[in-house]
Amino acid sequence: MKIGDKVRFLSETGGGIVAGFQGKNIVLVEDEDGFQIPTAINDVVVVTTDDYNIAKVHTEGTTKRPSEPATKASKEEEPADKPVTFRKMAYERKGGDVLSLYLAFLPLDIKMMTCTRFEAYLVNDSNFYLQYALLKAENNTWNMWNIGEVEPNTSIFIDEFGHEDINSMERVAIQAFAFKRDKGFSLKPTVNVQIRVDTKKFYKLHAFMENDFFETPALLYNIVVRDEVAKPLVVDAKKLKQEMYAKAEDIKHQKVEAQNDYVRRYDDSQSKGKAPLRAAHEGIVVVDLHINELLDTTVGMSAADILNYQLDVFRNTLSKYAGKKGQKLVFIHGKGEGVLRQAIVHELNYKYKQYPHQDASFREYGYGATQVTIK
């Protein structure tokens, strides 16, 4: 049985022309009114066909002049002239029910980046059909660039352009909605995204990367990635300013609280002999500069903030004991990356060079402590 065969139904009266197939067991039978009826393939039988797959119509005893209009029978003689409305089911892959959409640019000659032309594609990496509209900005207005539909798990060609056209696509917008045909699906939010295309990248070879969608390197811009829409191009400047001020105030407050906490702990150390100041044995004062010994939290503090805080503790301790000649101070800074140790040694060599210093006892303090003697 082939498309164009004339068939009749076995279980009921009627029949028509085979217009297509759905899977292996369903045939689409088009009746004389043009309707396609899905029917089990074992419920139809071929009536008469010839080698050209065209149904035969007996016309003995009648003649038809060329000038006469086509009859109903003559229309049935040309089933191939009728449009086939059967649509093949779209390919769906595992994990493709999350929406991913990209705008891709490919150089036609990647070895000639300064003069090559480029192709633009819309990549639909999902199991959904997408109706889309691509737009380009010109001053304060938008112009239609391309409109259409892209099938699931495919890319569609948008345009070819040269370097003279690059500046016109610095701001691109896409509006789209996703759906499936002939089956149910999870509703996806409509897409309305603006992206800023970095036109300088069209002159840089390293901006075009190997990818999963094309055999040649491409410049990809995310529109939607696994149902997550790309960050909007337009930023609310007023809201951003408010957030920046709020964050700055929060950091300032945290630093003040941290300083107050250190003062409290410093006073406690004097009365109770606890960290960060403690007596190792008579005549030696030990200061542990590990930040977790100095502060309960470092939230909002950068690495530079932490280092400066540790150095402040170091300087304040030297200032406190400046009048006690012969006093030995041990500063535990740890090995780590050596940044704090280097900073302390630098201070001792240039700012406090009157105080001799050396590595503290490895046995008592490990390999991350410096001993300073007040002179």
Side-chain angles (χ1 to χ4, degrees), residues 49-86:
T49 62
D50 57 20
D51 292 341
Y52 297 95
N53 198 29
I54 300 175
K56 293 181 180 179
V57 178
H58 299 283
T59 57
E60 286 95 353
T62 63
T63 59
K64 177 180 174 298
R65 298 173 184 172
S67 59
E68 290 179 345
T71 63
K72 182 177 178 180
S74 65
K75 289 182 181 179
E76 292 181 348
E77 292 176 358
E78 300 295 337
D81 293 339
K82 297 181 180 181
V84 178
T85 58
F86 171 72

Side-chain angles (χ1 to χ4, degrees), residues 123-292:
V123 180
N124 177 14
D125 188 28
S126 74
N127 292 338
F128 293 86
Y129 287 87
L130 278 169
Q131 294 276 357
Y132 69 89
L134 270 172
L135 307 99
K136 293 190 292 187
E138 183 176 351
N139 298 323
N140 294 324
T141 61
W142 290 93
N143 297 316
M144 183 64 69
W145 184 17
N146 191 277
I147 188 169
E149 179 180 299
V150 56
E151 295 185 354
N153 299 296
T154 59
S155 61
I156 188 170
F157 174 76
I158 300 298
D159 194 13
E160 180 182 324
F161 58 92
H163 282 279
E164 67 277 8
D165 305 312
I166 291 176
N167 290 335
S168 67
M169 56 183 64
E170 187 175 4
R171 289 170 56 206
V172 176
I174 180 168
Q175 297 175 333
F177 68 92
F179 62 96
K180 289 186 179 183
R181 286 193 169 92
D182 305 323
K183 65 183 301 184
F185 57 92
S186 298
L187 189 64
K188 300 293 181 182
T190 55
V191 177
N192 187 4
V193 175
Q194 296 181 37
I195 58 176
R196 185 176 297 278
V197 177
D198 187 350
T199 56
K200 299 185 186 68
K201 290 185 177 181
F202 287 89
Y203 297 89
K204 300 176 181 178
L205 180 62
H206 67 269
F208 293 81
M209 309 289 290
E210 298 293 331
N211 58 90
D212 296 330
F213 309 114
F214 303 96
E215 295 181 356
T216 58
L219 174 60
L220 290 178
Y221 283 90
N222 297 342
I223 299 173
V224 183
V225 179
R226 298 189 64 81
D227 284 342
E228 292 292 330
V229 178
K231 292 182 179 179
L233 175 64
V234 180
V235 178
D236 188 334
K238 184 177 180 180
K239 182 178 180 182
L240 179 62
K241 186 176 181 180
Q242 291 174 344
E243 290 177 352
M244 290 175 65
Y245 276 124
K247 185 175 181 180
E249 287 297 321
D250 186 49
I251 291 175
K252 182 178 178 181
H253 176 73
Q254 289 175 356
K255 287 184 177 179
V256 170
E257 287 297 314
Q259 181 67 32
N260 293 338
D261 179 68
Y262 170 71
V263 172
R264 289 191 297 268
R265 295 183 64 188
Y266 187 89
D267 293 340
D268 289 343
S269 70
Q270 296 298 88
S271 61
K272 301 178 181 178
K274 294 184 177 180
L277 295 179
R278 66 182 188 270
H281 51 76
E282 190 172 350
I284 297 180
V285 174
V286 180
V287 184
D288 194 337
L289 294 178
H290 285 95
I291 196 62
N292 60 311

Side-chain angles (χ1 to χ4, degrees), residues 291-308:
I291 196 62
N292 60 311
E293 291 291 337
L294 303 177
L295 298 173
D296 290 333
T297 177
T298 58
V299 174
M301 299 178 70
S302 65
D305 292 334
I306 292 173
L307 177 61
N308 287 331

